[in-house]
Amino acid sequence: MKPIIQDQTHAQPQKEQHKFFLLIKMLLRGHAEEIQKFASLHHARRAGREPIPVKHIEKYHRINIRIIHALTSHLRDRKKGTAIFKILGEHLAEEALKDGLTIEKIIDGTIYQKQAIWKKVEASCTLNKISSRDIHAFSQALENYYDVLVSKIAFTYHHRLTEESMRSNERFRALIEQSTDAIALVSQKGKVLYASPTTKSLMGYSPDEFLKLNNPFELVPEDDRKQVTQLFAKLLKNPGSTERAVYRVLHKNGKHIWIESTMTNLIENPNVGAVVLNYHDISLRKQLETQKDDFISIATHELKTPVTSIKAYGQILQHRFRKVGNDEAAIMLMKMDAQLNKLNGLIRDLLDATRIDAGKLQFQERIFDFNELVNDIVGEMQLTTTKHAIVKKLDSTQMVSGDRDRIGQVITNLLSNAIKYSPYDKRIIVETSTNKKGVTLSVRDFGVGIPKNKQSQVFERFFRVGDAADTFGGLGLGLFISSEIVKRHSGHMWVESSKGKGSVFCFTIPLKHHVGKKYRSVIVPRYVIQHA
Amino acid sequence: MHNIKKKILVTDDDPAILEVITMILEDAGYEVKTIDNRNTEKYAEEYLPDAILLDIWMGGVDGRNICKKLKSKKNTAHIPIVIISANKDTEMIAKAAGADGYIKKPFELNDILVLVKKITTT
């Protein structure tokens, strides 16, 4: 049995602590607002600005007050207090995550609050009369509860962000796996690092089989392989860049399919570290293109038939009129003949444009007299206009190696444009200059000119200076075809022009070149991308 | 001495072109016979012209084959054949079929006369 004095010795400190805790409770509760404001002020001062966005200040203030109250209510009942602080920590973290606040902000806030509470307790006189054991008990409770709070905040953040990350991963995985495009990640050396499930339906190889391939480029047939590997090499030199190409690949079943692929160099992106290849089967599109090309081939053939007989009748009539001395009628028929040549030219342009894409534009090389060609063409074109006077300033002639008809086509195109685009000014000047290296021809007009910002597009397919509603006519194919012809002769073509002041179109052809066979280009022309 | 007219056989499935070529050649002093595609081979063997103007694209019958066949038969191999066509690659096609010349449609009248004269004077 314990002596009464012993009981009293134990009871006395307990009672005093209880009284002390009550005093703390009243102190802190009574000054909760003041304490919290103090904490917020210091937090803001340290952060350099208001750490909590204005619209949320009220909410977090209330939560913080609740924390202070919770502290004071459970100074003695540690078990319950801990449970409450866990709840408060989770609540605080959830709100902060919702509002997009960082974990640092929230935790800093709790630290400033804890400091403010301690300062308040220190500052009040009560401390002097309190035993060190009681101060210790309070400080322990304070630290303990705030540890719980901060842990819970950290845990909640971690948990939520991990969940989000997993959900995000799942989302992207679903996107990649369900995509109708096949996706592959390829290393710098061309080794496949990843192949999406769609690889199987597209290529016949399962992703695993695809990964085992030593060199995926071997699936590209020889005709296209060089260009594809060159494009890949170009891609590797430019981090972050993208290339598009159309080529064939060998399906597992032994047949070739046409694919269009987009490759992006993300090797330097730490999250990817590879080239991303995105490709899909365009066999249907290719089939339609072939049908279209065949159709145009047939159509142009059909169009040429009536032109042939009209032209022939016209020439017979010309001949007969001349025989009887009716020169006026003969001249009219001559002009009609020139127009028919123009019509034939448009038909031919239509066909050429489709053939350029298919890489089927062909040339017959021979040696011819350049000035003779220029004179022929100028003579023909002069017949198509009475308003314009084509003036020739020709250098001495050269024997040129190339496709005479095609070069003639280029000169015709330039003259036809010059006539078309200078409705008000009569002068057109054709100039040549020749030297040992090659020949250069320029056609100058004083018509509408081409604005500077359009000059780089002038040689593109379908480009026209005006819009569809303008009255200049033509198919918009001439310069595209002409520049292609000049390119194939190893030459180049350019324009100097300003709006309203006319244009000079020039091309130059080196004497030594080979009009060689060109393989179909795998690079997707820009206009296709624009229309996609 | 009686000047015998040279005989030219012309095939094409377009009647307007047949008429026009006939006019041109007759005006220049040739005798012209026209035939539709299906019977060209048979008629050539019977008529034995001094030259044949052959269209390639003829509704179902490929002029190239006709050219090759005629060139391979003993009795017609000597007849010069000119291929006329609106096809872009007429020159190549003519060479491949073994023809002696080619004319692209649409043509200049003069081109026909010059070429026919050339191949009938050897």
Side-chain angles (χ1 to χ4, degrees):
Chain A
M1 196 144 161
K2 287 184 190 151
I4 306 170
I5 305 162
Q6 276 182 317
D7 274 73
Q8 281 187 325
T9 338
H10 279 280
Q12 202 50 18
Q14 286 268 14
K15 251 170 101 177
E16 276 194 18
Q17 197 182 71
H18 184 62
K19 221 170 79 180
F20 168 52
F21 281 171
L22 270 172
L23 280 169
I24 299 273
K25 181 170 175 175
M26 273 167 42
L27 171 71
L28 295 181
R29 285 230 171 165
H31 296 270
E33 291 286 334
E34 184 196 313
I35 291 167
Q36 188 50 45
K37 283 209 175 98
F38 184 78
S40 301
L41 199 68
H42 273 254
H43 191 184
R45 217 175 269 165
R46 272 302 170 89
R49 55 182 154 73
E50 186 54 59
I52 311 283
V54 176
K55 57 181 172 179
H56 298 311
I57 289 182
E58 181 62 42
K59 174 171 74 174
Y60 287 98
H61 187 81
R62 270 185 274 122
I63 296 177
N64 285 320
I65 300 290
R66 268 177 71 194
I67 294 174
I68 298 175
H69 282 212
L71 169 71
T72 55
S73 304
H74 301 287
L75 285 167
R76 297 180 74 202
D77 186 349
R78 292 293 183 88
K79 204 164 154 196
K80 189 151 181 222
T82 304
I84 301 266
F85 265 77
K86 277 190 182 162
I87 293 172
L88 284 170
E90 194 171 328
H91 177 62
L92 184 55
E94 299 274 5
E95 289 299 309
L97 277 161
K98 233 189 337 183
D99 296 335
L101 302 176
T102 62
I103 191 176
E104 288 88 356
K105 274 206 186 112
I106 298 303
I107 290 180
D108 281 353
T110 62
I111 293 173
Y112 282 109
Q113 188 186 60
K114 184 177 67 172
Q115 287 175 353
I117 290 172
W118 187 247
K119 270 213 162 61
K120 190 66 190 173
V121 169
E122 262 186 333
S124 72
C125 319
T126 354
L127 258 182
N128 299 333
K129 301 180 193 146
I130 307 298
S131 74
S132 59
R133 192 174 48 193
D134 290 338
I135 300 285
H136 182 71
F138 170 67
S139 107
Q140 260 200 323
L142 185 65
E143 293 297 325
N144 185 32
Y145 283 154
Y146 274 80
D147 277 352
V148 166
L149 190 69
V150 168
S151 306
K152 198 62 184 172
I153 291 171
F155 178 79
T156 309
Y157 259 79
H158 175 82
H159 188 65
R160 289 283 168 263
L161 292 175
T162 313
E163 255 183 14
E164 238 179 69
S165 171
M166 277 191 352
R167 228 181 300 136
S168 182
N169 275 349
E170 282 310 308
R171 202 181 304 139
F172 281 110
R173 184 185 298 273
L175 283 174
I176 289 177
E177 291 180 0
Q178 299 306 316
S179 167
T180 49
D181 272 20
I183 297 170
L185 291 180
V186 176
S187 77
Q188 222 158 335
K189 302 220 170 99
K191 185 119 181 39
V192 180
L193 304 169
Y194 167 79
S196 74
T198 311
T199 309
K200 176 127 198 224
S201 51
L202 213 146
M203 299 280 300
Y205 293 99
S206 74
D208 284 333
E209 289 171 330
F210 209 63
L211 280 167
K212 291 205 186 99
L213 291 173
N214 259 331
N215 184 3
F217 287 112
E218 277 174 4
L219 292 174
V220 181
E222 285 218 39
D223 281 352
D224 299 337
R225 199 179 307 165
K226 187 169 175 206
Q227 290 191 65
V228 173
T229 45
Q230 275 177 356
L231 204 61
F232 191 69
K234 180 180 171 202
L235 184 75
L236 290 178
K237 290 200 189 120
N238 297 299
S241 69
T242 299
E243 300 286 347
R244 269 209 209 190
V246 165
Y247 51 93
R248 285 163 298 164
V249 289
L250 192 61
H251 191 281
K252 193 176 175 190
N253 65 13
K255 298 206 184 104
H256 283 115
I257 55 168
W258 280 98
I259 61 167
E260 179 176 33
S261 89
T262 307
M263 326 179 204
T264 307
N265 181 347
L266 292 180
I267 290 179
E268 295 188 2
N269 182 322
N271 297 320
V272 183
V275 170
V276 181
L277 224 88
N278 200 308
Y279 56 101
H280 53 269
D281 187 328
I282 55 164
S283 302
L284 180 64
R285 196 220 290 177
K286 271 288 169 186
Q287 199 185 24
L288 290 172
E289 271 179 22
T290 310
Q291 280 177 354
K292 179 201 78 178
D293 287 349
D294 288 347
F295 167 72
I296 290 181
S297 220
I298 295 171
T300 52
H301 191 282
E302 293 302 296
L303 288 169
K304 281 192 184 177
T305 305
V307 170
T308 305
S309 48
I310 295 171
K311 192 170 153 81
Y313 282 125
Q315 290 189 350
I316 292 176
L317 282 171
Q318 224 187 104
H319 181 72
R320 293 190 184 180
F321 274 122
R322 282 209 195 278
K323 246 165 100 181
V324 298
N326 190 343
D327 284 336
E328 199 184 326
I331 289 173
M332 278 200 277
L333 286 163
M334 205 161 65
K335 294 187 184 174
M336 191 178 92
D337 189 83
Q339 289 301 324
L340 285 166
N341 288 341
K342 203 165 160 187
L343 175 58
N344 191 46
L346 288 171
I347 296 171
R348 180 206 48 207
D349 283 354
L350 187 57
L351 184 61
D352 283 349
T354 62
R355 280 166 157 240
I356 286 176
D357 291 340
K360 289 198 211 129
L361 201 64
Q362 287 171 329
F363 295 86
Q364 313 287 349
E365 198 170 343
R366 70 188 65 148
I367 299 190
F368 62 93
D369 183 311
F370 194 69
N371 281 15
E372 192 196 336
L373 176 65
V374 176
N375 285 323
D376 279 353
I377 306 284
V378 170
E380 262 180 43
M381 291 311 289
Q382 184 65 79
L383 288 175
T384 65
T385 173
T386 47
K387 278 199 291 184
H388 302 81
I390 305 177
V391 170
K392 289 182 283 191
K393 292 188 186 167
L394 306 188
D395 196 354
S396 54
T397 192
Q398 276 266 28
M399 295 309 282
V400 175
S401 162
D403 187 319
R404 189 183 191 273
D405 286 345
R406 292 293 190 181
I407 302 293
Q409 197 176 331
V410 175
I411 304 174
T412 303
N413 174 235
L414 296 184
L415 282 171
S416 149
N417 284 348
I419 292 170
K420 200 194 299 175
Y421 289 100
S422 42
Y424 304 115
D425 195 297
K426 323 191 272 180
R427 300 162 294 159
I428 295 174
I429 304 174
V430 177
E431 226 177 295
T432 65
S433 92
T434 54
N435 58 35
K436 273 184 281 221
K437 288 204 194 133
V439 295
T440 304
L441 182 141
S442 69
V443 175
R444 177 190 294 270
D445 70 74
F446 299 88
V448 297
I450 300 166
K452 283 259 183 303
N453 62 345
K454 299 246 166 114
Q455 280 178 25
S456 60
Q457 301 171 275
V458 126
F459 298 105
E460 283 173 26
R461 186 164 134 154
F462 302 138
F463 176 80
R464 292 159 91 247
V465 166
D467 54 45
D470 77 36
T471 54
F472 286 117
L475 296 169
L477 295 172
L479 285 174
F480 168 64
I481 295 170
S482 294
S483 70
E484 183 68 20
I485 292 172
V486 169
K487 236 188 271 177
R488 293 282 298 278
H489 281 79
S490 309
H492 69 280
M493 202 159 160
W494 70 97
V495 60
E496 288 152 23
S497 176
S498 31
K499 189 167 177 187
K501 298 217 178 106
S503 316
V504 186
F505 277 87
C506 315
F507 71 87
T508 184
I509 294 187
L511 287 186
K512 290 208 179 352
H513 64 270
H514 173 57
V515 185
K517 178 174 181 186
K518 184 182 182 193
Y519 286 100
R520 175 182 36 78
S521 170
V522 300
I523 297 168
V524 178
R526 263 212 280 161
Y527 65 86
V528 172
I529 296 173
Q530 276 161 10
H531 283 69
Chain B
M1 202 171 110
H2 182 47
N3 209 354
I4 305 171
K5 281 190 184 173
K6 297 267 168 98
K7 302 187 292 190
I8 316 290
L9 181 63
V10 187
T11 77
D12 198 301
D13 56 353
D14 186 61
I17 291 182
L18 282 179
E19 183 183 71
V20 148
I21 296 182
T22 304
M23 268 199 275
I24 300 166
L25 292 176
E26 282 181 348
D27 272 3
Y30 294 93
E31 179 188 297
V32 183
K33 283 274 186 266
T34 60
I35 190 75
D36 68 68
N37 26 16
R38 259 179 296 274
N39 300 307
T40 308
E41 218 183 305
K42 212 172 65 169
Y43 199 74
E45 287 183 295
E46 289 171 15
Y47 183 57
L48 292 176
D50 296 291
I52 302 177
L53 300 188
L54 198 56
D55 183 23
I56 300 178
W57 190 307
M58 293 187 293
V61 182
D62 193 336
R64 280 173 277 202
N65 289 334
I66 297 179
C67 181
K68 284 191 188 141
K69 279 219 191 115
L70 289 172
K71 284 291 179 188
S72 67
K73 286 199 170 148
K74 261 192 241 165
N75 49 353
T76 53
H78 67 282
I79 305 175
I81 298 179
V82 172
I83 287 197
I84 309 183
S85 177
N87 196 306
K88 258 276 111 173
D89 306 316
T90 302
E91 184 175 356
M92 284 196 339
I93 292 171
K95 277 202 186 118
D100 302 276
Y102 71 95
I103 290 175
K104 280 197 199 158
K105 283 185 197 171
F107 46 75
E108 306 294 318
L109 280 199
N110 214 39
D111 294 346
I112 300 235
L113 291 172
V114 164
L115 190 54
V116 169
K117 177 144 192 210
K118 187 168 127 194
I119 58 172
T120 54
T121 339
T122 348

